[in-house]
């Protein structure tokens, strides 16, 4: 008899005031000490106590300034931004934990593969095999300008380069065989040179000689995570990903994405179970259903319209300050190049006949991912339904109150999932990759 399939839980973090909910920092119970190492240490301990597979930091290499051509609205209103480089933050978190996975976002468009492989390889060694790499190719020209370019390359070019970066990083991580480091004082042999290799990788965009300076980590290389939504992005994820982070509006959307990704993974010759598909959801938990709904209404009122407009302007690449916020969403004409992204937002709101202002505020409460609202038991019911309906292999959970969302979820929902046999009661492996297959 095969082992029971277990749900995967990954925490979404930012080194700043918000995650997906752009009113989070304003909640009376949110702790905004995001410049204090102890803040990160505390949440790492909470998530590990809750037996989460992994935590990861989303990141953007700049401040969003699509709206009115300035970052004023985002900065003044506390919109989505990452202040600190997540890599040293993860090193801090690794020192107070033993099991939970630790994920960083790094762009293949702006970072050299040798530096990526060396930095992530170092953290993978120091954490004893718990690192994950959320691979992005970047989506914003503001990031390009911070790295000396006028604009991003076209999407397909970014992904073609990303494939080469991945190939080079894997060859670098494999340039040390697992038993190359000996450190035998008596024989005087420190390492076996025959087990350390040049890689001599040469592609269209990437060249690196190797070998890497970092010996092999306990899990060989970081777990690969990715969030591609386009057709090219999905092909990239099918080739490389072990975890896929996806934003979907409904159960039906999740099921369609799940089936498509699993098919693509099989088509490249990988077992579909080797990659966990994890849609983002936002849990809001109350002692009763009515209390949970009141909490939802309370926090959702905290999103400023200007911040919401700035956020959506960034997502679609169009300055929405030029459009009337009281106009019904379906009546707004967006330029053709951004229409696809705008339709994604429209998809999640068109049934409600919302104005532009209402729609962007709703987007800024969860980026139109489901808010899972209820008591611990009913939240577990909803997660179980998604999990058992071929919609996902688990969830990326995003907070609405920090760190209260994590404390409450770990204390009340995790035990309910454990009672149902859906989630681990303890870690059984040593590395993140082992967690994902326990």
């Amino acid at each position: 008899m095969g082992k029971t399939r277990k749900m995967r839980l990954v925490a979404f973090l930012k080194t700043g005031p918000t995650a997906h909910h752009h009113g989070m920092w304003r909640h009376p119970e949110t702790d905004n000490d995001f410049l204090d190492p102890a803040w990160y240490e505390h949440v790492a301990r909470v998530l590990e106590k809750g037996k989460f597979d992994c935590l990861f930091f989303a990141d953007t290499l700049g401040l969003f300034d699509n709206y009115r051509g300035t970052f004023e609205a985002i900065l003044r209103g506390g919109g989505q931004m990452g202040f600190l480089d997540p890599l040293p933050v993860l090193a801090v978190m690794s020192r107070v934990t033993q099991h939970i996975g630790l994920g960083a976002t790094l762009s293949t468009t702006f970072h050299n593969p040798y530096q990526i492989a060396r930095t992530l390889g170092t953290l993978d060694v120091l954490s004893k095999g718990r690192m994950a790499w959320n691979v992005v190719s970047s989506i914003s020209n503001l990031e390009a300008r911070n790295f000396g370019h006028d604009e991003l390359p076209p999407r397909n070019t970014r992904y073609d380069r990303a494939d080469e970066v991945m190939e080079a990083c894997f060859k670098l991580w494999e340039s040390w065989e697992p038993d190359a480091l000996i450190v035998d004082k008596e024989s005087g042999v420190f390492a076996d040179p025959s087990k350390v290799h040049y890689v001599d990788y040469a592609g269209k965009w990437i060249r690196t000689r190797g070998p890497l300076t970092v010996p092999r980590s306990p899990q060989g290389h970081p777990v690969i995570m990715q969030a591609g939504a386009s057709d090219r992005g999905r092909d990239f994820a099918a080739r490389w990903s072990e975890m896929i982070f996806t934003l979907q509006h409904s159960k039906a959307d999740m099921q369609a994405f799940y089936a498509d990704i699993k098919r693509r993974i099989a088509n490249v010759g990988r077992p579909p179970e080797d990659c966990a598909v994890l849609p983002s959801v936002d849990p809001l938990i109350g002692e009763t259903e009515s209390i949970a709904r009141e909490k939802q209404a309370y926090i959702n009122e905290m999103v400023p319209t200007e911040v919401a407009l700035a956020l959506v302007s960034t997502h679609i690449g169009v300055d929405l300050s030029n459009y009337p916020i009281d106009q019904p969403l379906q009546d707004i004409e967006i330029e053709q190049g951004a229409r696809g992204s705008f339709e994604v937002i429209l998809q999640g709101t068109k049934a409600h006949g919302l104005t532009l202002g209402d729609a962007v505020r709703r987007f800024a409460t969860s980026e139109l991912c489901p808010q899972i609202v209820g008591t611990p038991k009913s939240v577990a019911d909803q997660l179980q339904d998604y999990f058992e309906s071929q919609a996902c292999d688990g969830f990326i959970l995003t907070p609405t109150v920090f760190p209260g969302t994590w404390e409450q979820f770990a204390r009340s929902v995790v035990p309910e999932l454990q009672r149902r046999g859906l989630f681990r009661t303890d870690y059984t492996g040593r590395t993140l990759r082992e967690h994902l297959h326990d």
Side-chain angles (χ1 to χ4, degrees):
M1 186 174 179
K3 65 181 180 180
T4 305
R5 179 170 167 258
K6 298 294 185 186
M7 187 181 292
R8 305 296 160 208
L9 296 180
V10 175
F12 179 105
L13 301 172
K14 294 281 288 186
T15 61
T18 65
H20 278 170
H21 201 296
H22 289 67
M24 184 174 79
W25 73 274
R26 300 181 64 196
H27 193 282
E29 294 182 4
T30 284
D31 179 353
N32 286 314
D33 285 338
F34 37 73
L35 302 182
D36 185 349
W39 192 77
Y40 298 99
E41 292 172 343
H42 173 71
V43 75
R45 291 188 185 102
V46 167
L47 294 167
E48 183 163 89
K49 187 174 182 181
K51 313 302 180 189
F52 275 55
D53 292 83
C54 186
L55 60 87
F56 89 100
F57 285 95
D59 197 26
T60 304
L61 301 168
L63 296 175
F64 295 143
D65 61 1
N66 294 68
Y67 184 70
R68 300 189 189 278
T70 174
F71 49 71
E72 181 180 345
I74 287 287
L75 203 55
R76 185 187 302 278
Q80 192 176 91
M81 58 191 113
F83 289 127
L84 306 181
D85 183 337
L87 289 166
V89 172
L90 289 164
V92 167
M93 297 171 94
S94 76
R95 294 298 295 154
V96 297
T97 54
Q98 293 181 302
H99 303 287
I100 192 167
L102 306 159
T105 298
L106 286 171
S107 173
T108 56
T109 300
F110 303 123
H111 295 297
N112 181 280
Y114 195 94
Q115 187 62 56
I116 293 172
R118 189 169 193 249
T119 301
L120 293 182
T122 296
L123 288 171
D124 208 26
V125 167
L126 293 178
S127 66
K128 297 180 169 57
R130 293 189 285 136
M131 282 302 295
W133 175 16
N134 180 40
V135 181
V136 298
S137 63
S138 295
I139 60 170
S140 172
N141 285 334
L142 74 88
E143 294 180 288
R145 294 181 190 117
N146 286 341
F147 282 81
H149 308 284
D150 292 331
E151 60 183 15
L152 288 173
R155 175 189 287 136
N156 285 349
T157 301
R158 297 199 305 273
Y159 274 115
D160 289 347
R161 175 189 164 89
D163 276 322
E164 289 192 6
V165 171
M166 300 302 294
E167 291 167 359
C169 283
F170 270 77
K171 285 186 175 295
L172 289 164
W173 285 321
E174 293 163 1
S175 64
W176 284 68
E177 295 182 26
D179 56 349
L181 193 62
I182 296 170
V183 195
D184 185 337
K185 292 182 179 180
E186 189 169 334
S187 69
V189 178
F190 181 75
D192 184 345
S194 70
K195 295 184 177 181
V196 180
H197 310 284
Y198 291 111
V199 301
D200 292 320
Y201 180 86
K204 182 176 179 180
W205 289 275
I206 301 300
R207 293 179 63 193
T208 183
R209 186 185 186 211
L212 197 62
T213 59
V214 183
R216 187 81 67 99
S217 81
Q219 66 174 355
H221 60 81
V223 166
I224 303 301
M225 183 176 178
Q226 209 261 342
S230 67
D231 190 63
R232 181 66 176 88
R234 294 185 191 201
D235 283 343
F236 182 88
R239 179 181 178 188
W240 296 108
S241 291
E242 296 166 81
M243 292 189 286
I244 293 178
F245 168 34
T246 181
L247 307 180
Q248 302 295 331
H249 303 311
S250 67
K251 180 178 173 180
D253 294 332
M254 292 180 194
Q255 289 171 322
F257 181 85
Y258 187 85
D260 180 63
I261 284 291
K262 295 292 184 174
R263 175 186 59 79
R264 291 175 193 248
I265 292 169
N267 286 347
V268 297
R270 296 176 61 202
E273 62 272 17
D274 278 4
C275 181
V277 176
L278 308 172
S280 177
V281 297
D282 299 18
L284 288 139
I285 307 155
E287 293 81 359
T288 66
E289 294 292 333
S290 61
I291 289 173
R293 293 291 170 192
E294 286 178 17
K295 286 184 174 183
Q296 180 188 32
Y298 179 77
I299 186 68
N300 285 354
E301 286 298 314
M302 291 187 171
V303 177
T305 301
E306 286 282 291
V307 170
L309 286 165
L311 173 72
V312 177
S313 294
T314 295
H315 274 266
I316 67 174
V318 171
D319 182 359
L320 291 177
S321 67
N322 299 317
Y323 298 86
I325 64 170
D326 56 354
Q327 188 171 347
L329 197 62
Q330 62 265 29
D331 296 341
I332 290 179
E333 297 295 329
I334 296 291
E335 60 190 65
Q336 190 61 38
R339 190 72 208 181
S341 298
F342 189 70
E343 289 290 348
V344 171
I345 297 172
L346 190 66
Q347 176 187 351
T349 58
K350 60 186 176 185
H352 306 282
L354 301 181
T355 65
L356 175 62
D358 292 334
V360 297
R361 280 191 295 272
R362 183 169 295 190
F363 184 85
T365 62
S366 68
E367 303 204 1
L368 296 183
C369 299
Q371 289 187 325
I372 308 295
V373 184
T375 64
K377 286 190 176 181
S378 69
V379 167
D381 287 342
Q382 294 169 75
L383 297 179
Q384 181 173 0
D385 177 57
Y386 286 132
F387 180 64
E388 293 181 344
S389 301
Q390 297 296 300
C392 65
D393 296 306
F395 303 92
I396 304 284
L397 298 171
T398 60
T400 52
V401 180
F402 200 95
T405 296
W406 305 127
E407 293 167 337
Q408 197 172 21
F409 191 93
R411 192 168 52 239
S412 63
V413 180
V414 165
E416 186 62 33
L417 295 171
Q418 290 169 331
R419 277 192 289 273
R420 302 178 189 199
L422 295 169
F423 189 61
R424 69 168 60 83
T425 55
D426 206 352
Y427 296 102
T428 57
R430 299 173 307 135
T431 69
L432 172 56
R433 188 165 286 109
E434 288 171 349
H435 300 342
L436 295 175
H437 296 284
D438 66 8

